[in-house]
PDB file of all heavy atoms in Angstrom:
ATOM      1  N   LEU A1101      82.164  57.869  21.930  1.00 88.00           N
ATOM      2  CA  LEU A1101      82.811  56.510  22.075  1.00 88.00           C
ATOM      3  C   LEU A1101      83.514  56.202  20.819  1.00 88.00           C
ATOM      4  O   LEU A1101      83.024  56.614  19.760  1.00 88.00           O
ATOM      5  CB  LEU A1101      81.612  55.476  22.408  1.00 88.00           C
ATOM      6  CG  LEU A1101      81.098  55.326  23.718  1.00 88.00           C
ATOM      7  CD1 LEU A1101      79.921  54.303  23.764  1.00 88.00           C
ATOM      8  CD2 LEU A1101      82.112  54.825  24.709  1.00 88.00           C
ATOM      9  N   PRO A1102      84.533  55.455  20.944  1.00 91.00           N
ATOM     10  CA  PRO A1102      85.325  55.038  19.702  1.00 91.00           C
ATOM     11  C   PRO A1102      84.586  53.994  19.005  1.00 91.00           C
ATOM     12  O   PRO A1102      83.900  53.107  19.505  1.00 91.00           O
ATOM     13  CB  PRO A1102      86.677  54.492  20.253  1.00 91.00           C
ATOM     14  CG  PRO A1102      86.405  53.976  21.659  1.00 91.00           C
ATOM     15  CD  PRO A1102      85.213  54.944  22.141  1.00 91.00           C
ATOM     16  N   ALA A1103      84.676  53.892  17.573  1.00 91.00           N
ATOM     17  CA  ALA A1103      83.977  52.947  16.848  1.00 91.00           C
ATOM     18  C   ALA A1103      84.451  51.550  17.048  1.00 91.00           C
ATOM     19  O   ALA A1103      83.677  50.547  16.842  1.00 91.00           O
ATOM     20  CB  ALA A1103      84.111  53.286  15.303  1.00 91.00           C
ATOM     21  N   THR A1104      85.654  51.410  17.678  1.00 91.00           N
ATOM     22  CA  THR A1104      86.225  50.118  17.875  1.00 91.00           C
ATOM     23  C   THR A1104      85.327  49.332  18.883  1.00 91.00           C
ATOM     24  O   THR A1104      85.486  48.044  18.866  1.00 91.00           O
ATOM     25  CB  THR A1104      87.646  50.120  18.467  1.00 91.00           C
ATOM     26  OG1 THR A1104      87.601  51.022  19.517  1.00 91.00           O
ATOM     27  CG2 THR A1104      88.525  50.688  17.457  1.00 91.00           C
ATOM     28  N   VAL A1105      84.441  49.925  19.679  1.00 89.00           N
ATOM     29  CA  VAL A1105      83.699  49.136  20.637  1.00 89.00           C
ATOM     30  C   VAL A1105      82.634  48.213  19.873  1.00 89.00           C
ATOM     31  O   VAL A1105      82.155  47.329  20.496  1.00 89.00           O
ATOM     32  CB  VAL A1105      82.896  50.011  21.625  1.00 89.00           C
ATOM     33  CG1 VAL A1105      83.883  50.848  22.430  1.00 89.00           C
ATOM     34  CG2 VAL A1105      81.885  50.969  20.827  1.00 89.00           C
ATOM     35  N   LEU A1106      82.381  48.488  18.507  1.00 90.00           N
ATOM     36  CA  LEU A1106      81.441  47.695  17.777  1.00 90.00           C
ATOM     37  C   LEU A1106      82.219  46.531  17.113  1.00 90.00           C
ATOM     38  O   LEU A1106      81.582  45.694  16.506  1.00 90.00           O
ATOM     39  CB  LEU A1106      80.802  48.603  16.718  1.00 90.00           C
ATOM     40  CG  LEU A1106      79.766  49.620  17.237  1.00 90.00           C
ATOM     41  CD1 LEU A1106      79.236  50.393  16.176  1.00 90.00           C
ATOM     42  CD2 LEU A1106      78.595  48.859  18.074  1.00 90.00           C
ATOM     43  N   ASP A1107      83.548  46.508  17.234  1.00 89.00           N
ATOM     44  CA  ASP A1107      84.256  45.369  16.653  1.00 89.00           C
ATOM     45  C   ASP A1107      83.694  44.000  17.143  1.00 89.00           C
ATOM     46  O   ASP A1107      83.317  43.943  18.299  1.00 89.00           O
ATOM     47  CB  ASP A1107      85.791  45.426  16.889  1.00 89.00           C
ATOM     48  CG  ASP A1107      86.360  46.579  16.116  1.00 89.00           C
ATOM     49  OD1 ASP A1107      85.750  47.238  15.272  1.00 89.00           O
ATOM     50  OD2 ASP A1107      87.490  46.928  16.430  1.00 89.00           O
ATOM     51  N   ARG A1108      83.898  42.968  16.363  1.00 84.00           N
ATOM     52  CA  ARG A1108      83.347  41.681  16.715  1.00 84.00           C
ATOM     53  C   ARG A1108      84.298  41.106  17.839  1.00 84.00           C
ATOM     54  O   ARG A1108      85.503  41.287  17.803  1.00 84.00           O
ATOM     55  CB  ARG A1108      83.393  40.632  15.598  1.00 84.00           C
ATOM     56  CG  ARG A1108      82.872  39.253  15.842  1.00 84.00           C
ATOM     57  CD  ARG A1108      83.010  38.401  14.638  1.00 84.00           C
ATOM     58  NE  ARG A1108      82.159  38.837  13.510  1.00 84.00           N
ATOM     59  CZ  ARG A1108      80.766  38.578  13.369  1.00 84.00           C
ATOM     60  NH1 ARG A1108      80.279  37.789  14.258  1.00 84.00           N
ATOM     61  NH2 ARG A1108      80.153  39.004  12.366  1.00 84.00           N
ATOM     62  N   ALA A1109      83.654  40.555  18.903  1.00 74.00           N
ATOM     63  CA  ALA A1109      84.299  39.954  20.002  1.00 74.00           C
ATOM     64  C   ALA A1109      85.004  38.672  19.556  1.00 74.00           C
ATOM     65  O   ALA A1109      84.411  37.901  18.736  1.00 74.00           O
ATOM     66  CB  ALA A1109      83.421  39.606  21.126  1.00 74.00           C
ATOM     67  N   GLY A1110      86.206  38.580  19.859  1.00 67.00           N
ATOM     68  CA  GLY A1110      87.062  37.404  19.498  1.00 67.00           C
ATOM     69  C   GLY A1110      86.647  36.128  20.148  1.00 67.00           C
ATOM     70  O   GLY A1110      86.012  36.210  21.290  1.00 67.00           O
ATOM     71  N   PRO A1111      87.013  35.037  19.730  1.00 63.00           N
ATOM     72  CA  PRO A1111      86.675  33.805  20.464  1.00 63.00           C
ATOM     73  C   PRO A1111      87.452  33.634  21.709  1.00 63.00           C
ATOM     74  O   PRO A1111      88.512  34.133  21.830  1.00 63.00           O
ATOM     75  CB  PRO A1111      87.155  32.634  19.384  1.00 63.00           C
ATOM     76  CG  PRO A1111      88.252  33.380  18.569  1.00 63.00           C
ATOM     77  CD  PRO A1111      87.878  34.806  18.459  1.00 63.00           C
ATOM     78  N   ARG A1112      86.721  33.196  22.693  1.00 57.00           N
ATOM     79  CA  ARG A1112      87.359  33.094  24.054  1.00 57.00           C
ATOM     80  C   ARG A1112      86.945  31.629  24.658  1.00 57.00           C
ATOM     81  O   ARG A1112      85.919  31.151  24.509  1.00 57.00           O
ATOM     82  CB  ARG A1112      86.729  34.085  25.027  1.00 57.00           C
ATOM     83  CG  ARG A1112      87.387  34.124  26.362  1.00 57.00           C
ATOM     84  CD  ARG A1112      86.919  35.206  27.279  1.00 57.00           C
ATOM     85  NE  ARG A1112      87.104  36.601  26.642  1.00 57.00           N
ATOM     86  CZ  ARG A1112      88.220  37.180  26.870  1.00 57.00           C
ATOM     87  NH1 ARG A1112      89.222  36.586  27.467  1.00 57.00           N
ATOM     88  NH2 ARG A1112      88.363  38.404  26.227  1.00 57.00           N
TER      89      ARG A1112
END
Side-chain angles (χ1 to χ4, degrees):
L1101 281 173
T1104 53
V1105 299
L1106 292 178
D1107 291 348
R1108 182 182 296 274
R1112 187 177 295 280

